[in-house]
Amino acid sequence: AARISIIGKPNVGKSSLINRILNDDKVIVSPLPGTTRDSVDLEVRRNNQAFILVDNAGIRKMQKVRETTESAAVIRAENELRRSDVILFVIDIAQKVDQNDLLIAQKVTKAAKPVLIVGNKTDLLAPGTAGDKYFARARSRFHALYFAPFIAVSAASGKNVFAMLDKAQEIHSKLNAKIQISRFNDLVKRILREKKIATSDHRVFNPKFISIESMRPFFIKFHAKSGARMLPSDELFLKKRLTQELGFEGIPIFFKIQAQK
């Protein structure tokens, strides 16, 4: 079962989201043994789907150590991120994205896991305001999470809360797909024909062949004449195109370039 972690700074509504899920009539919940004091693992079953929901919410233990709540949340989140299959990164859509959100976003990016950005508290947006404007503004602050889809939810009204979980499970299951390597090589070469990609040593990037090193995290290895990296903007272009072509929304892609002897 996918291990889904709800991460975010204090007061973005993580506890409310979890309570909304657990109090649904169709949900069967059983706490898992061996849970630590810092987070509770709950096995959740709904619509014949089972997943593990990790409740990192409302933990204030570290406040006793001279820590601000925010940095304590970051430390706890960091430990949990390593064990997650999918991260639900929750922000308060009614507030501006702040330094603490950006700090947690940094940790989420570093964890190299599938991510869904959740804009909670849509019920607090003034009636008639276009939510899209808020989402676009929030979205633009998380550059490194370019691959992560965005979902607007309301723990208070229940809007999209289960759509959020379905989306998380859908992202998780994509990594079980078998990718045919010859087709994958064709796809990458087609993209490289569409746009010439430059390397740091001013050559055109033209790998001899491409292999998939691992699925979790999704690591692509390019076997090329030189080990020179692509220019950052070109690398981002290629990652975005592959995300699009593979239907890998929510999944970070990593590149490794190996010089052929």
Side-chain angles (χ1 to χ4, degrees):
R3 185 180 172 84
I4 299 173
S5 271
I6 295 184
I7 299 283
K9 68 182 185 190
N11 305 322
V12 290
K14 299 188 295 292
S15 305
S16 316
L17 278 170
I18 288 168
N19 290 336
R20 171 62 71 174
I21 294 162
L22 304 189
N23 292 326
D24 187 275
D25 298 343
K26 299 193 192 86
V27 166
I28 302 162
V29 182
S30 37
L32 293 175
T35 291
T36 66
R37 279 181 317 169
D38 277 357
S39 69
V40 180
D41 291 5
L42 303 161
E43 187 180 44
V44 177
R45 292 185 169 274
R46 183 180 183 270
N47 301 340
N48 297 326
Q49 291 266 36
F51 55 92
I52 295 162
L53 189 64
V54 184
D55 178 1
N56 303 290
I59 308 151
R60 294 286 178 267
K61 297 246 183 335
M62 279 181 146
Q63 265 179 299
K64 291 167 191 161
V65 188
R66 280 183 297 268
E67 289 273 355
T68 64
T69 321
E70 275 74 12
S71 55
V74 169
I75 293 164
R76 282 194 306 273
E78 218 171 341
N79 296 334
E80 176 47 44
L81 293 175
R82 285 195 278 276
R83 302 168 61 218
S84 317
D85 289 316
V86 183
I87 296 163
L88 298 179
F89 172 36
V90 185
I91 61 169
D92 176 345
I93 197 64
Q95 302 282 333
K96 279 200 164 80
V97 169
D98 68 13
Q99 280 312 109
N100 292 310
D101 291 312
L102 294 173
L103 196 58
I104 292 179
Q106 228 172 2
K107 307 284 181 196
V108 167
T109 306
K110 209 169 143 191
K113 301 284 173 142
V115 183
L116 179 58
I117 301 173
V118 179
N120 187 26
K121 305 195 187 183
T122 49
D123 49 289
L124 298 183
L125 297 179
T129 46
D132 295 355
K133 185 183 74 179
Y134 287 83
F135 311 148
R137 187 180 68 192
R139 198 74 195 78
S140 67
R141 301 297 306 278
F142 303 120
H143 302 298
L145 295 172
Y146 67 89
F147 58 88
F150 194 106
I151 188 165
V153 306
S154 166
S157 73
K159 178 190 164 188
N160 278 347
V161 171
F162 283 97
M164 168 189 85
L165 291 175
D166 293 343
K167 186 79 179 154
Q169 286 186 287
E170 185 194 316
I171 290 170
H172 176 65
S173 66
K174 281 177 189 168
L175 287 172
N176 300 331
K178 286 272 178 283
I179 295 177
Q180 205 184 341
I181 203 69
S182 59
R183 276 199 181 158
F184 185 67
N185 269 269
D186 293 345
L187 165 65
V188 177
K189 289 186 171 161
R190 173 162 66 75
I191 298 170
L192 293 177
R193 281 196 302 274
E194 278 171 29
K195 176 180 157 71
K196 284 195 165 50
I197 286 188
T199 59
S200 54
D201 59 359
H202 312 294
R203 294 167 193 237
V204 171
F205 182 62
N206 186 20
K208 292 180 179 174
F209 69 99
I210 298 125
S211 56
I212 293 171
E213 185 126 300
S214 70
M215 289 301 283
R216 299 172 199 273
F218 188 58
F219 241 108
I220 298 169
K221 190 193 264 187
F222 295 98
H223 303 261
K225 274 183 191 161
S226 117
R229 293 203 62 84
M230 296 172 226
L231 292 179
S233 59
D234 283 357
E235 185 173 325
L236 186 59
F237 162 81
L238 185 53
K239 284 180 177 176
K240 283 183 174 174
R241 286 288 282 115
L242 285 170
T243 302
Q244 195 186 359
E245 292 277 353
L246 296 167
F248 267 24
E249 200 188 26
I251 297 164
I253 297 176
F254 299 93
F255 291 164
K256 194 186 242 177
I257 298 173
Q258 189 171 338
Q260 290 295 97
K261 301 231 169 2

